[in-house]
Amino acid sequence: MFGTKGAVDLILRVEDRVYEVSLLSFVSTHGRWNMEKLRDGYAVEVRRESKLFYKRHYNSNAPEHVSEYKGEFRVCRRKLALSPKDPTLAGQILLVYPRPNRITYTDARYHEIGSGETIDGHMVMSIEDLHRLVTGKKEK
């Protein structure tokens, strides 16, 4: 939890396939985790809704996520050290545990990220999805 975010934590072998797993974990799960592409790499920050103002809403031409960002505060921000793409692996997994309310990704645009989507070749997964990958069982 307190180590380098995005560094490879384990190598997982499932039959003849090899996966690289990086654990992404923070204490706060009640807000939004935002992964951001920077000029020299990536960063991840945990944001929570500010309860300072009640029903703070105003009319603006700005997109909805801009208003949302202004209504949040940053809990923490860390550098995200994603390993380079490796074509010899069956996949590179970014394991998000525990699962936050929302995960977003910001590069030139704002994206909502769900389980199974990729960021720079790393597939974002929840622990349930990783369990299904390892055991080969489908959902009940």
Side-chain angles (χ1 to χ4, degrees), residues 50-73:
S50 176
K51 301 288 186 186
L52 188 60
F53 299 104
Y54 178 71
K55 289 190 178 180
R56 188 180 121 315
H57 179 73
Y58 54 89
N59 292 331
S60 171
N61 290 340
E64 184 178 321
H65 67 273
V66 173
S67 173
E68 176 185 36
Y69 183 84
K70 290 180 179 178
E72 295 173 334
F73 68 94

Side-chain angles (χ1 to χ4, degrees), residues 27-39:
V27 174
S28 177
T29 60
H30 297 294
R32 174 173 70 97
W33 294 4
N34 183 50
M35 291 174 240
E36 183 178 350
K37 182 173 176 131
L38 306 173
R39 289 185 188 135

Side-chain angles (χ1 to χ4, degrees), residues 27-34 45-49 68 72-73 75 99-104:
V27 174
S28 177
T29 60
H30 297 294
R32 174 173 70 97
W33 294 4
N34 183 50
E45 68 180 354
V46 177
R47 302 191 64 82
R48 296 242 358 216
E49 183 181 352
E68 176 185 36
E72 295 173 334
F73 68 94
V75 175
R99 187 185 318 170
N101 286 346
R102 293 176 39 228
I103 302 172
T104 57

Side-chain angles (χ1 to χ4, degrees), residues 35-129:
M35 291 174 240
E36 183 178 350
K37 182 173 176 131
L38 306 173
R39 289 185 188 135
D40 59 343
Y42 294 89
V44 60
E45 68 180 354
V46 177
R47 302 191 64 82
R48 296 242 358 216
E49 183 181 352
S50 176
K51 301 288 186 186
L52 188 60
F53 299 104
Y54 178 71
K55 289 190 178 180
R56 188 180 121 315
H57 179 73
Y58 54 89
N59 292 331
S60 171
N61 290 340
E64 184 178 321
H65 67 273
V66 173
S67 173
E68 176 185 36
Y69 183 84
K70 290 180 179 178
E72 295 173 334
F73 68 94
R74 180 188 302 167
V75 175
C76 72
R77 181 179 174 96
R78 300 281 184 266
K79 180 178 166 88
L80 185 61
L82 294 178
S83 59
K85 294 178 187 176
D86 188 354
T88 62
L89 297 171
Q92 292 172 296
I93 298 170
L94 190 58
L95 180 63
V96 177
Y97 183 81
R99 187 185 318 170
N101 286 346
R102 293 176 39 228
I103 302 172
T104 57
Y105 175 65
T106 310
D107 51 5
R109 295 183 351 187
Y110 176 86
H111 309 276
E112 291 280 335
I113 297 293
S115 189
E117 295 186 41
T118 61
I119 296 174
D120 193 30
H122 291 73
M123 186 182 306
V124 176
M125 278 192 175
S126 65
I127 193 73
E128 294 86 8
D129 294 330

